Amino acid sequence: MRSHNSSNYVVAVNLSTVIKGIFIFLFTLLTIFSISGILTSLKPEYRITSSSVNQVAQNVKGSTLYKLFTLENRAFSATSPEEADWPEPSDLMLELATNISFEDPRSLLGRELPGFSIFDSHILVAGEGTDYTNMPHESIPPEEALNPENDAPTQNTDSLENPNEDGEKPPSTTGDKETVQLYFTHNRESFLPHLKGVTDPDLAHHSEVNVTKIGDRLKEELEGLGIGTKVDKTDVIGNLNNKGLEYYSAYDESRPIAKEAMAENKDLLYLIDIHRDSIRGENTTITINGKSYAKLAFVIGAEHPNYEKNEKLARELHKMLNKQYKGISRGVFVKKGSGTNGKFNQDLSPNSILVEFGGVDNNFEELNRSTAAFADIFAQYYWEAEKVNHNLSEPPSSQ
């Protein structure tokens, strides 16, 4: 009799657990649909751009949401599928039935929230300290930040001077050929340490002191290593303003720059679109040998057939960078989906990459060190590739 009562008690407890689980599931669905309803009431352009992500990010801190998930299931804490424990059979069934991935907590909401575009981005190669809470983030600046009349006074700009060009001649050179093209889709992205009185990351934009300064420095560094480099500093954002176009049209506006460069220069081999990230300094800064560097990140658009070739280039540069400058590369990130451009003009060339140099809190001393490090590694990659392409035991000379 006692055994029978015990059995009934177990059944009752199990039933109670099932009912509780059902109520939690229903409550979660109601919450999702409520948030979805709020977001769908936003302006139409917010539903198809990363502006919707900004609305979410302003109200819910990603790291907080992520940590809540990790408390419930430790598989959520893995930064890549290889690090995650194999899920329990019940977890696996849930994943198959709902498309919720146990390596990526964003999937709990990503399918339901319009414009939740970070769901369509993933970490291809994670650098040290990289996880889904600190992936590269592209913010949409307010209109006032894009008006040159609102430019803040600049400060601490001594480090913008270009390095002394009187160095040793490189052992290899492209001669008169310019084989690398640098350009800037978001050319007014700037850095808070150089904008007097500006503390809001969304306002870190400037018509003069911006990422184009990184391009100037990178050109000098690469040419000092024998690689002919051209910089196009077209004011893409100014063109958008003049045409009355939205910020998310920037890649359409910069596309002719890349196409024209390729059409006019038959020697062109590499396209590099230079950006800076919108996330804060704790995730974009690292100390190497006692000196502070801005971290780098590679972003690859996956919405074209040959993106694996660009991915291969980014992977190799990431690997080489972290081998010689431990931790400087945050990783390689793939983006696709309705909330992002998905190509970043990388379909134009198999050697096209988008590089994020630091974030809003980095200064040009840190950025210059990282630019020199990137040039160093890129040159190593470049000349090794030239050896392979020309089947030579030595790199081609200026002769």
Side-chain angles (χ1 to χ4, degrees), residues 183-197:
Y183 71 108
F184 316 88
T185 296
H186 295 157
N187 62 289
R188 294 188 186 177
E189 289 179 330
S190 189
F191 305 89
L192 292 175
H194 301 287
L195 304 179
K196 189 174 182 178

Side-chain angles (χ1 to χ4, degrees), residues 4-44:
H4 180 71
N5 289 339
S6 176
S7 176
N8 288 341
Y9 174 76
V10 171
V11 171
V13 169
N14 288 339
L15 183 60
S16 174
T17 301
V18 170
I19 293 174
K20 181 180 177 181
I22 291 173
F23 275 112
I24 292 174
F25 179 73
L26 291 174
F27 178 77
T28 302
L29 284 180
L30 287 172
T31 302
I32 289 172
F33 289 130
S34 296
I35 298 175
S36 179
I38 293 171
L39 289 178
T40 52
S41 68
L42 297 172
K43 293 180 181 180

Side-chain angles (χ1 to χ4, degrees), residues 45-335:
E45 59 266 27
Y46 284 1
R47 299 177 199 165
I48 59 173
T49 74
S50 57
S51 299
S52 305
V53 180
N54 294 343
Q55 296 289 330
V56 174
Q58 288 173 2
N59 294 284
V60 181
K61 189 175 180 181
S63 58
T64 301
L65 182 62
Y66 190 89
K67 287 178 180 175
L68 285 173
F69 287 150
T70 62
L71 290 175
E72 180 63 27
N73 190 317
R74 62 193 177 92
F76 279 128
S77 63
T79 59
S80 66
E82 290 79 6
E83 297 176 15
D85 293 333
W86 185 256
E88 295 295 326
S90 58
D91 292 342
L92 184 59
M93 291 299 294
L94 177 63
E95 182 171 349
L96 292 173
T98 64
N99 286 330
I100 294 176
S101 169
F102 286 91
E103 290 93 30
D104 186 353
R106 303 165 304 159
S107 61
L108 181 61
L109 300 178
R111 294 293 187 192
E112 301 299 333
L113 301 184
F116 205 81
S117 64
I118 58 171
F119 176 76
D120 291 318
S121 306
H122 70 271
I123 302 171
L124 186 66
V125 184
E128 183 177 311
T130 296
D131 59 34
Y132 283 105
T133 70
N134 53 29
M135 293 176 66
H137 175 59
E138 181 179 301
S139 66
I140 306 296
E143 290 184 11
E144 60 267 25
L146 302 179
N147 186 347
E149 295 180 1
N150 296 328
D151 277 355
T154 59
Q155 60 185 4
N156 307 321
T157 57
D158 293 344
S159 54
L160 294 181
E161 297 296 327
N162 285 333
N164 190 343
E165 297 180 20
D166 297 329
E168 294 182 5
K169 290 187 178 181
S172 303
T173 176
T174 61
D176 295 330
K177 297 178 180 179
E178 295 176 322
T179 57
V180 175
Q181 176 75 51
L182 310 178
Y183 71 108
F184 316 88
T185 296
H186 295 157
N187 62 289
R188 294 188 186 177
E189 289 179 330
S190 189
F191 305 89
L192 292 175
H194 301 287
L195 304 179
K196 189 174 182 178
V198 181
T199 57
D200 183 350
D202 289 339
L203 301 180
H205 295 263
H206 199 276
S207 61
E208 295 181 3
V209 178
N210 50 47
V211 290
T212 62
K213 301 297 184 183
I214 298 173
D216 290 336
R217 178 62 67 104
L218 183 56
K219 171 182 167 67
E220 297 295 332
E221 295 283 359
L222 288 175
E223 292 191 334
L225 295 167
I227 302 173
T229 303
K230 187 174 182 179
V231 180
D232 186 295
K233 295 193 284 186
T234 299
D235 186 4
V236 173
I237 302 305
N239 290 347
L240 290 180
N241 292 341
N242 293 335
K243 296 178 180 180
L245 298 174
E246 297 291 341
Y247 194 76
Y248 58 79
S249 298
Y251 289 99
D252 294 331
E253 191 65 27
S254 68
R255 188 174 181 84
I257 296 172
K259 292 182 71 173
E260 184 176 345
M262 295 181 65
E264 292 183 351
N265 183 3
K266 300 304 180 184
D267 298 317
L268 185 61
L269 298 176
Y270 294 89
L271 285 169
I272 302 177
D273 190 1
I274 296 176
H275 292 246
R276 69 103 174 95
D277 207 341
S278 297
I279 65 174
R280 305 309 298 261
E282 63 268 20
N283 292 310
T284 64
T285 311
I286 189 170
T287 300
I288 303 174
N289 296 328
K291 295 182 179 180
S292 185
Y293 287 71
K295 288 188 176 184
L296 307 173
F298 299 90
V299 178
I300 301 299
E303 292 187 10
H304 61 95
N306 298 315
Y307 80 93
E308 289 95 347
K309 295 180 180 178
N310 298 318
E311 173 192 309
K312 182 180 179 181
L313 170 60
R315 277 179 181 268
E316 189 60 28
L317 291 175
H318 162 82
K319 179 181 176 182
M320 293 173 67
L321 276 161
N322 280 346
K323 184 176 181 180
Q324 294 190 38
Y325 301 88
K326 183 174 172 56
I328 196 172
S329 176
R330 294 165 54 202
V332 181
F333 305 85
V334 172
K335 292 194 174 187

